[in-house]
Amino acid sequence: MGAVVLFAPAMVLLPLALLLLLSRPTRFFPWLFTGLAAVVALVWLIVPGGLSDQTVKAWTLIASILFAVYAHGQESPAVDSAIGGSLVAAAAVLGWYIVFRIPPSSVVDEAQRGLWALYRMIGDAAPGYRQQMTDSADAAAGFALILPGVMVLAGMSGLLVAWRWYHILAAAPVGIPPLPFREFRFSDHLVWLLALGLGGTVAQLAGYLPHGDLWPGNILVVAGGLYFARGLAVLATAVARWPAPLLLVAGTAVLFLAPFAFTGLFGVGLADTWLDFRRRAAAASGD
């Protein structure tokens, strides 16, 4: 589970090192930062681990390389490069499982065992909280089923953070500079990914696909997270001129209505594919 724990910093440092190397830094500080990032990422990659660790490392390496090549060599938004690199990396890892005849559920089973062992260790160290740790372990077992999709979303975020730092550190960065979150959008063709996840879920409910297959639910997690973020960007644009006290009240209300807020923002993000709310608002305001 060590690779999973260190996934977040590695997902930023590895693509950042690759992007800086492609730009051939000319100043001392960028070279120093590139070297440190590369060393940390390399150590993380070569440390041995179990199946879940190797899966995370393989996905991170492939996604980072693809993102660095796509974002550095093309005049396309970094968001599309991050999504494309992440999905291709996921397909490559799945192909690796198929070639070596490894059931995809094996990595989830290993992650569940790791979580149970962690909670058991905490419970042994604090006997008074043992029952709470047992309940948490049972809840974590269900979360592990969608862990691949959650980690893909986290990895995409790491790639975009690396892109932002690259444009800060590089002397002559290439590609489209990072845009404000309010401008977050991606290719409209991603709706087919959502359709694939929904189709697989319906097929499972109808009995045409085994209920143990993980890909429909994880595809829905990835697509749902992306459209939620797009809806949140639309909302951020709409409330950009609200006074701070009103924003605080609205944010507090959203916390108490989280399930409804997620569903609503997901719907807004999906509808933005066709309606483009931000362009309509800009046209209406005369900007």
Side-chain angles (χ1 to χ4, degrees):
M1 291 291 290
V4 178
V5 174
L6 297 176
F7 172 70
M11 194 64 250
V12 175
L13 294 176
L14 182 56
L16 178 58
L18 292 172
L19 287 166
L20 290 172
L21 283 172
L22 288 174
S23 293
R24 300 177 181 178
T26 57
R27 295 178 297 172
F28 172 75
F29 180 73
W31 264 120
L32 177 63
F33 194 93
T34 302
L36 291 174
V39 168
V40 172
L42 184 61
V43 169
W44 178 75
L45 287 172
I46 64 177
V47 171
L51 179 62
S52 60
D53 290 336
Q54 298 306 318
T55 299
V56 169
K57 291 175 183 179
W59 184 89
T60 303
L61 181 61
I62 297 170
S64 298
I65 292 174
L66 291 176
F67 173 74
V69 173
Y70 291 162
H72 190 274
Q74 300 181 11
E75 290 298 324
S76 59
V79 173
D80 289 336
S81 297
I83 294 174
S86 299
L87 295 181
V88 172
V93 171
L94 183 59
W96 170 47
Y97 278 15
I98 294 172
V99 169
F100 289 96
R101 298 182 179 180
I102 302 173
S105 58
S106 298
V107 67
V108 174
D109 294 339
E110 184 179 289
Q112 287 177 332
R113 290 193 295 270
L115 288 171
W116 281 328
L118 175 63
Y119 283 117
R120 191 180 304 114
M121 181 179 66
I122 297 174
D124 292 340
Y129 294 94
R130 184 169 293 161
Q131 185 59 47
Q132 290 90 326
M133 291 298 101
T134 301
D135 295 339
S136 298
D138 293 338
F143 173 76
L145 297 176
I146 60 170
L147 185 59
V150 172
M151 295 196 72
V152 168
L153 286 174
M156 291 179 187
S157 301
L159 293 174
L160 295 176
V161 171
W163 183 248
R164 183 169 294 277
W165 275 101
Y166 161 70
H167 275 264
I168 294 173
L169 295 171
V174 300
I176 299 176
L179 298 173
F181 176 70
R182 294 194 300 272
E183 298 297 325
F184 180 83
R185 65 179 75 238
F186 43 79
S187 172
D188 294 341
H189 295 296
L190 203 73
V191 71
W192 294 108
L193 183 69
L194 178 63
L196 178 63
L198 287 172
T201 302
V202 171
Q204 282 184 320
L205 294 175
Y208 295 109
L209 279 178
H211 287 278
D213 283 359
L214 301 176
W215 65 265
N218 282 282
I219 286 178
L220 283 181
V221 168
V222 173
L226 288 171
Y227 279 108
F228 167 77
R230 186 164 177 166
L232 192 60
V234 173
L235 177 63
T237 303
V239 304
R241 298 181 180 178
W242 286 14
L246 184 57
L247 286 175
L248 180 61
V249 172
T252 304
V254 166
L255 291 177
F256 287 101
L257 301 171
F260 304 101
F262 176 85
T263 304
L265 290 173
F266 167 80
V268 170
L270 182 60
D272 188 59
T273 302
W274 298 279
L275 299 179
D276 202 346
F277 295 114
R278 285 162 286 186
R279 181 175 297 176
R280 288 168 175 263
S285 63
D287 294 339

